């Protein structure tokens, strides 16, 4: 029999850590959606030259600056010393993924706003367009952007990828939390971000062709995501005792039901089956599957952030 | 203090788990109500009458390779004098990355300031010329050794040279400077 007692009972640290609340998964989710939208709209710009996008798709790049602002607001809410947030921008710490993230977030704005502006049909620009035309500096920037759409589209793809990967690397580099400590979390969050980004776009009034191609892409993305989840679990299962103990929280432990039903069954398998059936029968991809993908992407981050904090290194207890 | 490397060791044979160090730290450092920078860990093994008990006074390990410093995005968590690990509350954003990065759960947020908080090895005492930490000073069984690991004649170096010792979670790769004498 082993019995451990500790006099420590620090709030949010003991008995299990819970310092990151609901704000963090919500931010990671929105970051993923933004990453996906930036990459997909960037690709659309590169491949769709000459083809007229639907009105909804033309305005889609605006999702990035808006959603990332909402996400950053939640991130800011989570800070215990929010009025020191500017300190992120006084330094760049090479070893800190959070520092990378702070600077990536700053790069997301100019890249996405410029691409969104040049893609916006003239009739929507209205008063802001007249305003831009009046200010010399803005006019110059607009002129530069219009001449460099290919560069801007590529920049959106790169920034989106950086954003998507970083949200996973942020957790993946934490050796102290074995459930997170996997290099696969970067690609997993990127692919999940692409999938939720595609699903988010499907909520709007896209053209039939656009819906079909996004839904087809999403099927592939979900399949890759399932594969990455499997590899991640395999890594934990074949790792040391800390990794195996961490995996147990979703294999029999307290997060088992939530993970397998919300993330795997409802969030991945059900929409994959739905999209495949729509494809098989030539039906137009609907919004139901898209909603499931979004809920699944949110559940993945929610469960990982909470379950991961509850895992740690327990191997030392019997050391003599 | 440039060539000094501060370390701490607990004599697990003489520590009785009275928690005087916990109270001493609280008094000295005026930590937030219901939070502590050090604590007593007790492990009871076996079935009566064949039982053994390990008692440890624990705190931040002032790791040589500290993940809390690595992840801190603002530079608030940093290596301080004598190889200690310190927090600069004025720079801290309260992002809590260091808290999740510490394998020992040695940190918490001080709700009064919103900044990360943990053991400083009583740096304010060291800087004013007092060579002991408050937990060491108050320990009734003198189970806490503190001093310069680089000085082979310091009491802690001697203890570590002559007795078997271990660190916590060595496979977490943090190289703690806090030891436990067997
Ligand atoms: S014990 Fe934790 S808080 Fe202290 S130096 Fe090591 S990682 Fe940092
Ligand atoms: S909570 Fe403060 S000390 Fe800790 S990582 Fe964030 S900014 Fe650095």
């Amino acid at each position: 029999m082993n019995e451990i007692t500790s006099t420590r009972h620090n709030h949010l640290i003991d008995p299990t850590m819970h310092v990151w609340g609901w704000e963090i998964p919500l931010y990671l989710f929105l970051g993923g959606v933004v990453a996906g939208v930036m990459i997909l709209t960037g690709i659309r710009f590169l491949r769709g030259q000459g083809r007229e996008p639907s009105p909804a798709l033309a305005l889609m790049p605006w999702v990035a600056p808006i959603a990332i602002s909402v996400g950053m607001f939640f991130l800011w809410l989570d800070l215990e010393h929010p009025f020191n947030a500017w300190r992120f921008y006084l330094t760049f710490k090479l070893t800190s993924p959070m520092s990378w993230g702070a600077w990536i977030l700053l790069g997301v704005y100019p890249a996405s706003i410029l691409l969104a502006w040049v893609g916006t049909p003239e009739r929507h620009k209205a008063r802001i367009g007249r305003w831009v035309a009046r200010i010399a500096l803005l006019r110059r920037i607009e002129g530069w952007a219009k001449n460099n759409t290919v560069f801007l589209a590529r920049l959106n793809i790169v920034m989106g990828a950086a954003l998507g990967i970083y949200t996973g690397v942020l957790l993946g580099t934490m050796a102290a939390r074995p459930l997170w400590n996997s290099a696969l979390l970067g690609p997993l969050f990127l692919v999940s971000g692409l999938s939720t980004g595609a699903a988010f776009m499907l909520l709007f009034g896209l053209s039939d062709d656009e819906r079909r191609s996004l839904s087809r892409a999403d099927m592939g993305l979900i399949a890759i995501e399932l594969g990455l989840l499997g590899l991640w679990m395999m890594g934990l299962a074949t790792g040391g005792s800390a990794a195996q103990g961490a995996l147990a929280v979703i294999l029999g432990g307290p997060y088992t039901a939530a993970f397998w039903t919300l993330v795997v069954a409802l969030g991945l398998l059900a929409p994959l089956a739905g999209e495949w059936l729509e494809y098989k029968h030539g039906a137009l991809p609907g919004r139901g599957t898209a909603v499931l993908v979004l809920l699944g992407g949110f559940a993945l981050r929610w469960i990982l952030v909470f379950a991961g904090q509850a895992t740690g290194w327990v191997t030392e207890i019997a050391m003599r | 203090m440039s060539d000094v490397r501060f370390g701490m060791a607990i004599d697990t044979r003489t520590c009785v788990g009275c928690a005087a160090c916990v109270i001493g730290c609280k008094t000295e450092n005026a930590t937030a109500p219901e939070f502590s920078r050090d604590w007593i860990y007790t492990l009871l093994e076996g079935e009566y009458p064949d039982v053994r008990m390990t008692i440890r006074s624990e705190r931040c390990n002032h790791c040589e390779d500290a993940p809390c410093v690595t992840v801190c995005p603002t530079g608030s968590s940093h290596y301080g004098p004598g190889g200690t690990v310190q927090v600069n509350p004025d720079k801290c954003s309260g992002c809590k990355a260091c808290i999740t990065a510490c394998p020992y759960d040695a940190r918490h947020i001080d709700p009064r300031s919103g900044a990360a908080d943990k053991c400083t090895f009583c740096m304010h005492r060291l800087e004013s010329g007092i060579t002991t930490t408050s937990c060491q000073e108050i320990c009734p069984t003198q189970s806490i050794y503190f001093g310069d690991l680089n000085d082979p004649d310091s009491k802690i170096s001697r203890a570590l040279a002559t007795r078997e010792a271990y660190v916590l979670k060595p496979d977490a790769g943090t190289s703690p400077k806090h030891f436990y004498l067997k």
Side-chain angles (χ1 to χ4, degrees), chain B residues 59-69 79 85 98 101-107 118-119 174 176:
Chain B
R59 57 190 57 60
C60 163
N61 296 287
H62 292 269
C63 305
E64 205 102 52
D65 198 349
C68 56
V69 175
Y79 295 107
V85 173
C98 57
C102 170
Y104 309 95
D105 297 353
R107 291 176 166 237
K118 68 168 197 74
C119 161
T174 54

Side-chain angles (χ1 to χ4, degrees), chain A residues 1-8 10 13 19-20 78 80-81 84 93 95-96 176-177 313 316-317 320, chain B residues 36 40-46 52 56 70-72 90 92-96 100 102 105 169 182:
Chain A
M1 185 199 70
N2 279 354
E3 195 179 296
I4 299 167
T5 42
S6 170
T7 63
R8 192 182 68 196
N10 290 341
I13 308 294
V19 289
W20 280 344
D78 182 71
E80 304 291 340
H81 208 169
N84 261 355
K93 289 261 312 263
T95 57
S96 164
R177 312 288 148 204
W313 288 68
E316 120 290 346
I317 51 167
R320 280 192 283 274
Chain B
S36 37
I40 303 294
Y41 170 99
T42 314
L43 169 66
L44 193 62
E45 295 164 287
R52 67 177 288 148
R56 296 196 293 251
T70 308
V71 298
C72 177
D90 293 335
C92 177
S93 66
C95 72
K96 297 168 280 193
T100 53
C102 170
D105 297 353
K169 307 180 185 181
K182 290 189 195 179

